[in-house]
Amino acid sequence: MDLREEIIKLKEKLDVTVVAHFYQKDEVFELADIVGDSLELARRASQTDSEYIVFCGVGFMGQSVKIIAPEKRVLMPKVACCSMARMIDVAYFDENLAKLNSYGIKNEDILPITYINSSAEVKARVGQMGGLVCTSSNAFKIIEQGLKSGKKIFFVPDRCLGQNFAIKMGLKSCVLGDGTNPNDADIICYDGFCAVHQLFTPEDIDFYRAKYPDIIVAVHPECDIKVVAKADFIGSTSQLIQYIKSLPEDQKVVVGTEYNMVNRLREKNTYILSSTKPECPTMNETSLQDLYDTLKSIEDGKPTNEVFVSEDVVHWAKIALQRMFEIS
């Protein structure tokens, strides 16, 4: 059986839209009706007329569709989970609030901001506290607006994103638990990170600059602050794609983000900023067989791996997202 052909037939037959994140394998990515980064996919998927959304990505992304459009039936060919999102849950969130309280910082003096890479439950907890969601492309604007509240920003779960934007804005940051006093920081970061973006080092940049003196270094802000400090361009997934595709064909560029995305950007003069293959293991769990099995389950009237989010969580998580939309 040719899985690709069978998937195409099922897509034509069913009331379904297949969406895939930029980090998915090529074989899956090429069969998607909508491609993009996490929030873009959630928004575009929620606006389709299809009853079913088959989401090729990781758990928090499928949840985001349910938050924005609870009436949609969202299925995931593989129930994979972003490692960064797994680093924080509501219990850890509250535990860290208690740590801040121990420094004399009251909850009412804290404005939580959560990166889109977090569970629906964490987004809801943030929403309950008056906080909001951000993405890597709008974090600057969200944090800037958040600071007008006069409160301490508690940024979860990616410390690198929080630190990098603090540096960009000329603000003081700390990672909670690193031994520094959070009272001295404008942005207090939770100690989470993206395992893939931690693979890139300043030494990798030095290597490429020595080999190609005119090379441009473009990285994602989930990279370590020492890597970002040496880069020529820092941007979200969509911003990196737009920037790199705008470069002259003969301009060499080395990119610090997930392998699959970089590999399909340009045929020439594009390099990956790592001596190892920086492939996201959870994003790459989804296979053609998984996609076929999910579509077949819809045809058989027994949908599998459906995403469910409670009404209360949807309510508060949607409020946190709406606050972001109003600003960005």
Side-chain angles (χ1 to χ4, degrees):
M1 179 173 64
D2 186 329
L3 282 176
R4 182 183 173 86
E5 290 302 318
E6 291 300 316
I7 289 169
I8 291 171
K9 289 178 185 177
L10 285 168
K11 283 175 57 182
E12 292 172 349
K13 178 181 181 181
L14 302 171
D15 184 14
V16 63
T17 297
V18 176
V19 302
H21 191 273
F22 285 125
Y23 294 176
Q24 291 289 299
K25 296 175 182 175
D26 286 347
E27 62 183 31
V28 173
F29 186 85
E30 290 164 359
L31 287 170
D33 302 302
I34 302 173
V35 296
D37 57 19
S38 54
L39 185 61
E40 178 188 5
L41 286 176
R43 294 182 72 170
R44 291 177 64 193
S46 68
Q47 293 166 358
T48 66
D49 296 327
S50 302
E51 178 184 1
Y52 290 95
I53 302 298
V54 175
F55 206 118
C56 303
V58 289
F60 78 83
M61 298 177 185
Q63 288 182 332
S64 293
V65 180
K66 290 295 288 185
I67 293 168
I68 297 172
E71 73 281 1
K72 292 290 185 186
R73 297 193 67 178
V74 182
L75 277 60
M76 301 198 72
K78 200 74 173 183
V79 187
C81 189
C82 167
S83 61
M84 182 197 298
R86 284 289 298 271
M87 291 181 187
I88 189 167
D89 57 17
V90 173
Y92 281 135
F93 183 90
D94 288 343
E95 185 179 303
N96 277 260
L97 284 180
K99 287 181 183 178
L100 289 172
N101 297 159
S102 71
Y103 282 94
I105 304 173
K106 299 177 181 178
N107 283 4
E108 53 264 36
D109 297 324
I110 297 168
L111 181 70
I113 296 176
T114 183
Y115 190 24
I116 190 75
N117 295 41
S118 57
S119 69
E121 291 75 16
V122 169
K123 290 183 178 72
R125 185 74 177 92
V126 167
Q128 287 174 325
M129 289 186 65
L132 55 171
V133 179
C134 79
T135 68
S136 52
S137 60
N138 67 21
F140 186 100
K141 189 178 291 186
I142 298 299
I143 293 170
E144 188 177 49
Q145 184 67 28
L147 288 167
K148 293 179 182 178
S149 68
K151 298 182 178 183
K152 294 279 189 185
I153 301 294
F154 179 39
F155 193 90
V156 303
D158 185 17
R159 65 170 187 251
C160 295
L161 201 65
Q163 288 177 300
N164 281 319
F165 278 98
I167 292 169
K168 183 177 180 180
M169 300 171 76
L171 301 172
K172 292 182 179 179
S173 68
C174 76
V175 177
L176 191 57
D178 68 357
T180 58
N181 189 335
N183 282 288
D184 299 329
D186 302 298
I187 301 176
I188 303 162
C189 303
Y190 181 82
D191 195 10
F193 56 87
C194 170
V196 175
H197 288 96
Q198 292 302 297
L199 294 173
F200 309 115
T201 69
E203 289 74 26
D204 293 327
I205 294 178
D206 294 341
F207 169 83
Y208 274 100
R209 290 207 191 280
K211 189 171 183 179
Y212 306 112
D214 64 339
I215 199 166
I216 288 174
V217 180
V219 304
H220 195 283
E222 289 178 18
C223 291
D224 186 84
I225 57 174
K226 293 179 182 177
V227 172
V228 169
K230 281 178 168 278
D232 301 302
F233 180 85
I234 303 96
S236 66
T237 300
S238 296
Q239 289 167 343
L240 284 170
I241 292 171
Q242 184 178 4
Y243 174 73
I244 292 164
K245 286 187 173 181
S246 72
L247 294 174
E249 188 176 321
D250 61 350
Q251 173 62 61
K252 290 180 172 60
V253 59
V254 60
V255 191
T257 194
E258 208 273 345
Y259 171 79
N260 285 312
M261 192 204 86
V262 178
N263 193 46
R264 65 174 76 99
L265 276 176
R266 296 196 312 170
E267 290 184 8
K268 298 178 180 179
N269 294 320
T270 306
Y271 305 88
I272 186 74
L273 188 66
S274 179
S275 56
T276 58
K277 189 177 181 181
E279 194 172 54
C280 178
T282 51
M283 279 287 195
N284 281 270
E285 287 183 24
T286 306
S287 67
L288 279 185
Q289 184 68 53
D290 296 324
L291 179 54
Y292 169 78
D293 290 344
T294 301
L295 293 170
K296 192 70 173 66
S297 76
I298 297 173
E299 183 187 44
D300 294 342
K302 300 177 181 178
T304 57
N305 294 343
E306 187 163 358
V307 177
F308 296 100
V309 182
S310 71
E311 288 185 14
D312 185 59
V313 168
V314 165
H315 172 76
W316 287 109
K318 193 168 187 175
I319 286 174
L321 279 166
Q322 285 173 334
R323 289 178 182 137
M324 175 187 71
F325 293 144
E326 288 169 5
I327 295 170
S328 62

